[in-house]
Amino acid sequence: MRKRIFAALLLLACLPACASAKSVPQALREAICATHPAPFTKVSEAEFDAAVEALDADWAELTAGGEAGFALRELAASLGDEHTTVVEQTDQNAALPFFVMKIGEDFVIVQAQQEHADWVGCALDAIGGMPVGEIARRMTPYLSAETDGWRDVLAATEMVSMHMLVHIGAAQSMEEASVTVRDTRTGRTQTAAVHALTGEYDYGTSVLMPMAQTFAQSGYYYATLLEGGELFIQYNVCADDPQMPVADFAAALDEQLGANLPSPPDKIIVDLRHNGGGDSEVINPLLELLEGYRQRGSALYALIGPETFSSGVMDAMKLRDLGAVLVGEATGGVLGFGELKIVELGEGFTLGCSSVDFSGGQPHLPLEPDVKAAQTLEDILDGIDTAVERVRSM
């Protein structure tokens, strides 16, 4: 699973730090107005300025109480741009000792430290007696999201942050929280006091929920032949693996297929469900390979879902233009603003701000699949990849 991170910022360009004479809220406003192509499409400039002024007036008090970061995040999120966010450098990174993923209607524990191994596969029901639905609702103002899918992805990440849980009232201290989990098969619940991690998450000894190989995220990208003869390519990040750039990966894949198969695969599946973006051009050598196989009779499919974001969405569109059938769920990302610039605001705060509008003036909507195949928790627990099985049935 992915490492614990609270924001993923693509460092495409950097701007100089704002002058120290400005307050941080003022520096945020100035950076947004100087960088963003259309900042006031979902909130009026007057409303935004009033929020900046109010934040400025309360800044000293918020800083003293450790709440300034949340106030800045809420201000940036009010723009309604999923790429424009604020990150705070803080030593308050204590976290619950597990990872959570939204699957269906539940937030499910998919990986945990050894002491909570028996919770893996269970739904997270409550923290501090607060239902997870209420926790997600209280976190919403701080999440820069334009779709429900991406909001769920961010909420799952924040669900284990002690700083966030204390802020919204689901935990009383940074050291521990009362956690209630539910066995989704039996409905049985259990509650226990859980101590927050005081050091690094131990990936070497942690327990991962058993799941189909194709559903689990693995590396930058990889390819394998499935039991049904389908070529499965998982493409997780729009960037070259330092150990094997995409061009080399495509060439090696072509060589291996030519040496081991008498004819091209009947079906080729490209999995973009975990792709959070990067550089949308990196995939081009792989697309050239896929086009050659398509012309020789291979049917192309691309899997998408809530974690498909930014350049991952663009690459899904490229695959569709190549003739691929999109299977899965609506993307978390939209074709909207992007190409981040990074601005140091001062006092340990960093702004990631969109600088380009890719929408062409069209509504910012997620990319919808041609064939819907939402991953179910029941399938995961049974070791089944719902979307892959749907492709096999087509």
Side-chain angles (χ1 to χ4, degrees):
M1 302 300 291
R2 66 171 59 82
K3 291 186 178 180
R4 202 181 297 275
I5 53 177
F6 296 100
L9 299 180
L10 177 61
L11 306 182
L12 297 178
C14 289
L15 296 178
C18 297
S20 58
K22 302 183 184 72
S23 70
V24 173
Q26 291 169 346
L28 174 70
R29 187 202 187 282
E30 181 176 294
I32 287 173
C33 290
T35 308
H36 202 287
F40 305 117
T41 56
K42 296 187 179 179
V43 62
S44 72
E45 186 170 3
E47 290 173 321
F48 192 79
D49 285 347
V52 170
E53 184 177 344
L55 183 52
D56 226 0
D58 296 336
W59 188 251
E61 181 180 350
L62 289 167
T63 300
E67 301 296 308
F70 290 107
L72 275 184
R73 288 181 61 181
E74 184 173 11
L75 184 61
S78 71
L79 296 176
D81 171 11
E82 62 191 13
H83 280 88
T84 298
T85 59
V86 169
V87 176
E88 178 183 7
Q89 290 182 345
T90 176
D91 57 2
Q92 296 181 320
N93 290 328
L96 295 174
F98 46 74
F99 289 103
V100 178
M101 178 184 291
K102 182 72 180 297
I103 304 174
E105 298 301 315
D106 291 312
F107 286 94
V108 179
I109 297 175
V110 294
Q111 187 175 16
Q113 300 284 249
Q114 284 284 348
E115 62 268 29
H116 298 293
D118 59 331
W119 284 5
V120 172
C122 291
L124 187 61
D125 255 15
I127 300 175
M130 184 181 294
V132 292
E134 177 62 13
I135 291 174
R137 187 191 68 80
R138 293 192 185 192
M139 291 192 299
T140 294
Y142 310 107
L143 307 180
S144 294
E146 296 183 60
T147 67
D148 290 340
W150 188 242
R151 191 171 292 107
D152 286 341
V153 170
L154 296 179
T157 301
E158 297 280 5
M159 195 77 68
V160 298
S161 165
M162 296 304 295
H163 195 198
M164 174 64 83
L165 293 173
V166 169
H167 174 70
I168 64 172
Q172 301 305 309
S173 76
M174 297 287 289
E175 288 72 40
E176 70 172 29
S178 172
V179 177
T180 301
V181 299
R182 170 174 44 86
D183 185 314
T184 58
R185 292 198 189 275
T186 67
R188 186 172 61 246
T189 64
Q190 56 179 301
T191 301
V194 176
H195 295 284
L197 289 175
T198 56
E200 293 293 324
Y201 188 92
D202 186 352
Y203 290 91
T205 61
S206 65
V207 178
L208 180 66
M209 184 170 73
M211 59 182 68
Q213 175 198 356
T214 54
F215 187 74
Q217 181 179 347
S218 179
Y220 280 62
Y221 34 77
Y222 78 92
T224 187
L225 285 172
L226 303 181
E227 291 182 359
E230 306 90 352
L231 173 62
F232 179 85
I233 302 171
Q234 192 176 85
Y235 187 68
N236 294 324
V237 57
C238 301
D240 281 315
D241 184 339
Q243 303 301 316
M244 178 177 276
V246 170
D248 294 344
F249 170 72
L253 178 59
D254 191 29
E255 181 180 352
Q256 291 180 17
L257 290 174
N260 293 288
L261 293 180
S263 60
D266 289 338
K267 294 180 179 180
I268 300 177
I269 304 170
V270 183
D271 184 6
L272 298 172
R273 288 174 296 180
H274 306 293
N275 195 304
D279 183 349
S280 61
E281 300 301 310
V282 171
I283 198 175
N284 289 344
L286 182 58
L287 295 180
E288 293 175 9
L289 175 67
L290 295 176
E291 171 61 12
Y293 280 101
R294 187 193 66 80
Q295 291 181 4
R296 293 166 60 191
S298 297
L300 303 182
Y301 302 86
L303 309 184
I304 59 174
E307 292 182 64
T308 310
F309 187 76
S310 192
S311 292
V313 178
M314 294 182 179
D315 284 350
M317 296 174 69
K318 288 183 178 183
L319 282 161
R320 185 178 61 183
D321 291 342
L322 204 64
V325 177
L326 301 185
V327 180
E329 302 174 75
T331 59
V334 300
L335 186 63
F337 302 122
E339 194 161 328
L340 298 190
K341 292 187 181 296
I342 306 305
V343 185
E344 299 298 332
L345 302 174
E347 298 185 26
F349 295 104
T350 302
L351 169 70
C353 186
S354 293
S355 64
V356 176
D357 185 355
F358 293 101
S359 70
Q362 298 301 309
H364 294 190
L365 298 174
L367 185 62
E368 296 286 345
D370 301 308
V371 177
K372 292 185 177 181
Q375 181 68 43
T376 68
L377 180 56
E378 182 179 6
D379 276 355
I380 288 183
L381 295 174
D382 289 338
I384 296 171
D385 187 328
T386 308
V388 168
E389 290 302 313
R390 185 68 181 88
V391 170
R392 283 176 169 163
S393 72
M394 294 172 64

